[in-house]
């Protein structure tokens, strides 16, 4: 990472990719996240969008924590974002 701004932009890009997977009702795993980031690279509207998506892709690829956790399909999480009700409780 060049600076903290790049890190923040990468975090946002990764979050956008995960949200897109949720919206597609797709499983969320390192593999699907990498594929979604690849799509974002190819769909980038500006050079900056492409640059940030590439940085995010490299960050996810180099993540040793994800490497250790992603050993089998058992580690895939599937969320049904459309079917999850928001918690409107005001309890603290």
């Amino acid at each position: 990472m060049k600076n903290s701004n790049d890190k923040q932009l990468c975090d946002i890009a990764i979050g956008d990719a995960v949200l897109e997977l949720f919206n597609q009702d797709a499983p969320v795993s390192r593999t699907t996240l990498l594929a979604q980031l690849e799509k974002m690279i190819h769909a980038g509207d500006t050079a900056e969008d492409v640059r940030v998506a590439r940085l995010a892709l490299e960050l996810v690829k180099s993540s040793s924590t994800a490497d250790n956790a992603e050993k089998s399909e058992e580690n895939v999480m599937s969320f049904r974002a459309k079917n999850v009700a928001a918690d409107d409780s005001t309890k603290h």
Side-chain angles (χ1 to χ4, degrees), residues 7-49:
K7 171 126 177 60
Q8 289 175 333
L9 292 173
C10 282
D11 289 346
I12 291 168
I14 292 168
D16 288 345
V18 169
L19 285 175
E20 184 58 31
L21 291 170
F22 285 161
N23 289 334
Q24 295 172 9
D25 228 4
V28 177
S29 68
R30 184 170 179 264
T31 303
T32 59
L33 179 58
L34 290 171
Q36 186 62 39
L37 289 168
E38 284 282 350
K39 288 180 187 177
M40 291 171 66
I41 290 169
H42 297 296
D45 292 331
T46 66
E48 180 67 2
D49 290 343

Side-chain angles (χ1 to χ4, degrees), residues 53-66:
R54 282 190 178 132
L55 286 173
L57 180 76
E58 290 306 314
L59 181 65
V60 172
K61 280 183 178 179
S62 66
S63 172
S64 63
T65 303

